Amino acid sequence: MPEPIASQRAIQELLSKQKLYEGLLHSQHGVRQPIIESLVHRQHVAEVANRLAAMPSQAIASLLEALPIDEAQWLWTCVPDSRENEVLWELTDALRETLVGSREPRFAESQINAFDVVDGRLRHVCISSRDDLEGIKPAWLDLLAATNPERRYVGDHFGVTLPDPGQTTDLEISSRFQIDDRGSLRLCSNFLLYRDRVSRSIPVVFIVHQGILFTVRNEDLPVFRLQGQRVRSQTGDAFDSIDLILDLYGADVEYSADVLESMYQRLGEIGHQVLSETISDEDAETVLAGIAEQEGLNGRIRGNILDTQRALFFLIRSRRLLPSQLDDAKQILRDIDSLNSHTAFLFDKINFLMDATVGFININQNKRLSRLTVFSVVIMPLNIIAGIGGMSEFSMMTAGIPWPSAYAGLAAAMGLMGWVTYLMLQKLSTRRRRKAG
């Protein structure tokens, strides 16, 4: 049994038990009756609230619709305050008026912004309730972090289906750019978000329906903030939806170019650190992490501009672009070609810095092995002398000599032999360096 259905049945059973307990308590009289009633009531409220907390808003609304009015009113008091607005979106107008009167569901944490044309200029209209949508026909409607009921209501209001951007990535690649049977243009593109040295691709859905551009996204993007500021200052006789799409794609390419410029600066700092005279293993670890971060960012930018390039090619093939719009699309494609060459150069530089860092790590390891080799060569003669000192022949050769003097002489001979061996190795190493120089 699905979890929402099980929760609904559990709540209905709790409501039935509450009625039964209340009937039994009312039939009894005593000093403690009010106290018992209060405890039972609070226990039922807590159990119902715990069940409601785990249920989706649509399941709560379905349960409220199925209950009698008195039980629905009591159950509504158990709905957490933080979830009331999302449940109101799912209720019918009749039940909503019964439960909360004239209170309208609001666009809570989402940001729905409309831009309509007034005196040849786009005017920003903030949408905070359903009444704000009445009587406007915007040129651009931007939905940020809208819930399923909010998207469904806005879509029904304008006669279009607005999907969840997070789910459009599950579709086939070919279906991300299409024209539906009603002639509406639908695009799903990835936009770059680079914040706090973390890069991500944010899917954005574009829908052009009856001359209105709908953009649906789940996260705030600098490109959209910038474009929202630009369109408010633009003037003209008309604002075409395709022009707005091309402006957003162009702004995304500009944003990617700005991030690439910051990559040049960051890789320059890493290169200065890598090509310094000495680099420790700890420094190499930090450098490798920085190189990996820049490689991931560069790959993200390359993937996003490739996605933008495919979207522009689709717009060109759709034959919906005016001559001026076609020129703008081709200019954006030329900018993308320029960025592709930059990303290719950065990949080469990243590979060079990676190889150089790994080379320095190998040099440090070779230095350690060289020290171990010198140490083993110095110790080798000492092992021979120590082996002789441990045999019975040494005792025969030192017969008559006190053992402290004998072993002291052996230790002195070992130290002298090690020192001479070390000096010889140093002399050979100095001679080799002079020849190499």
Side-chain angles (χ1 to χ4, degrees):
M1 182 183 301
E3 182 63 26
I5 297 178
S7 299
Q8 288 179 351
R9 292 187 176 180
I11 290 177
Q12 289 176 334
E13 291 177 0
L14 288 172
L15 292 176
S16 300
K17 290 180 180 179
Q18 182 192 11
K19 282 187 174 182
L20 178 61
Y21 291 155
E22 288 180 352
L24 293 174
L25 289 173
H26 283 308
S27 63
Q28 299 176 2
H29 301 282
V31 179
R32 295 187 178 183
Q33 181 185 357
I35 300 176
I36 297 174
E37 287 184 358
S38 176
L39 290 175
V40 171
H41 177 75
R42 280 187 290 179
Q43 181 181 359
H44 279 92
V45 170
E47 292 180 6
V48 171
N50 290 335
R51 288 285 184 176
L52 292 177
M55 292 174 59
S57 57
Q58 191 171 7
I60 297 176
S62 299
L63 180 58
L64 288 170
E65 298 282 353
L67 292 174
I69 294 300
D70 57 339
E71 293 184 5
Q73 290 175 337
W74 183 88
L75 184 62
W76 176 254
T77 61
C78 299
V79 176
D81 295 340
S82 59
R83 302 196 60 189
E84 286 185 358
N85 188 71
E86 62 180 277
V87 176
L88 287 177
W89 278 102
E90 303 286 355
L91 297 177
T92 60
D93 292 339
L95 181 58
R96 177 177 52 79
E97 291 177 0
T98 302
L99 295 178
V100 296
S102 59
R103 175 182 170 186
E104 288 280 340
R106 302 184 63 83
F107 298 99
E109 298 180 357
S110 62
Q111 299 178 21
I112 300 181
N113 299 296
F115 297 87
D116 59 356
V117 181
V118 177
D119 298 329
R121 186 188 297 271
L122 279 181
R123 181 190 63 175
H124 173 250
V125 179
C126 184
I127 307 297
S128 59
S129 66
R130 300 195 295 189
D131 294 337
D132 296 334
L133 292 174
E134 301 297 332
I136 67 168
K137 185 179 180 180
W140 177 20
L141 192 66
D142 180 39
L143 287 80
L144 170 60
T147 61
N148 289 330
E150 292 170 349
R151 286 194 307 272
R152 185 167 58 252
Y153 180 84
V154 174
D156 293 340
H157 183 81
F158 291 99
V160 64
T161 302
L162 302 177
D164 183 0
Q167 297 178 355
T168 54
T169 54
D170 297 335
L171 301 177
E172 294 182 1
I173 297 297
S174 58
S175 64
R176 293 173 57 194
F177 312 104
Q178 60 179 331
I179 298 175
D180 61 20
D181 52 359
R182 294 186 296 177
S184 299
L185 178 67
R186 292 175 176 266
L187 306 172
C188 180
S189 298
N190 293 325
F191 278 68
L192 177 66
L193 177 61
Y194 182 62
R195 182 179 299 159
D196 298 330
R197 298 179 65 175
V198 177
S199 63
R200 289 185 294 155
S201 295
I202 306 301
V204 179
V205 176
F206 295 89
I207 299 177
V208 178
H209 177 72
Q210 296 181 353
I212 304 175
L213 171 63
F214 298 88
T215 55
V216 188
R217 53 199 172 96
N218 288 335
E219 295 197 42
D220 189 20
L221 290 167
V223 170
F224 281 75
R225 289 201 306 269
L226 175 62
Q227 189 61 22
Q229 296 172 358
R230 286 180 176 177
V231 297
R232 298 174 196 175
S233 60
Q234 292 177 353
T235 58
D237 297 332
F239 292 89
D240 188 81
S241 300
I242 302 298
D243 286 327
L244 292 171
I245 293 177
L246 293 176
D247 289 343
L248 287 169
Y249 281 138
D252 185 48
V253 173
E254 292 178 7
Y255 181 69
S256 299
D258 293 339
V259 177
L260 283 177
E261 289 182 4
S262 66
M263 283 188 61
Y264 274 100
Q265 180 180 359
R266 175 60 179 156
L267 288 176
E269 296 173 356
I270 294 176
H272 179 73
Q273 187 176 4
V274 170
L275 301 178
S276 60
E277 293 183 0
T278 58
I279 177 172
S280 63
D281 290 346
E282 291 77 12
D283 294 337
E285 182 179 356
T286 303
V287 166
L288 288 176
I291 293 174
E293 174 189 334
Q294 299 304 308
E295 193 276 338
L297 176 58
N298 196 37
R300 185 82 64 188
I301 293 174
R302 192 178 183 91
N304 281 355
I305 60 179
L306 176 61
D307 183 84
T308 302
Q309 189 178 46
R310 293 179 59 249
L312 291 172
F313 280 137
F314 173 79
L315 288 174
I316 293 174
R317 291 195 304 270
S318 67
R319 302 183 184 277
R320 291 196 171 196
L321 302 185
L322 300 175
S324 60
Q325 295 171 345
L326 183 61
D327 293 337
D328 292 340
K330 290 181 178 179
Q331 180 59 48
I332 297 174
L333 290 173
R334 285 192 289 269
D335 294 339
I336 289 176
D337 290 335
S338 176
L339 290 185
N340 282 331
S341 62
H342 281 280
T343 56
F345 171 76
L346 288 175
F347 272 126
D348 292 338
K349 187 169 185 177
I350 288 171
N351 289 332
F352 165 74
L353 293 176
M354 183 72 73
D355 294 339
T357 305
V358 173
F360 276 111
I361 293 175
N362 292 332
I363 290 174
N364 290 339
Q365 290 179 346
N366 291 335
K367 288 180 179 178
R368 295 191 190 95
L369 292 176
S370 177
R371 295 190 187 99
L372 290 175
T373 302
V374 171
F375 182 76
S376 62
V377 172
V378 171
I379 293 297
M380 187 183 299
L382 305 185
N383 290 333
I384 297 174
I385 297 176
I388 296 174
M391 294 189 298
S392 59
E393 285 79 0
F394 179 77
S395 301
M396 296 172 59
M397 291 186 294
T398 57
I401 302 176
W403 69 267
S405 301
Y407 280 99
L410 178 63
M414 291 173 63
L416 179 62
M417 181 66 70
W419 180 250
V420 171
T421 305
Y422 176 75
L423 292 178
M424 291 176 61
L425 291 175
Q426 286 289 98
K427 186 175 182 180
L428 291 174
S429 178
T430 302
R431 184 182 300 176
R432 191 177 298 111
R433 285 198 298 268
R434 287 178 180 177
K435 288 182 178 181

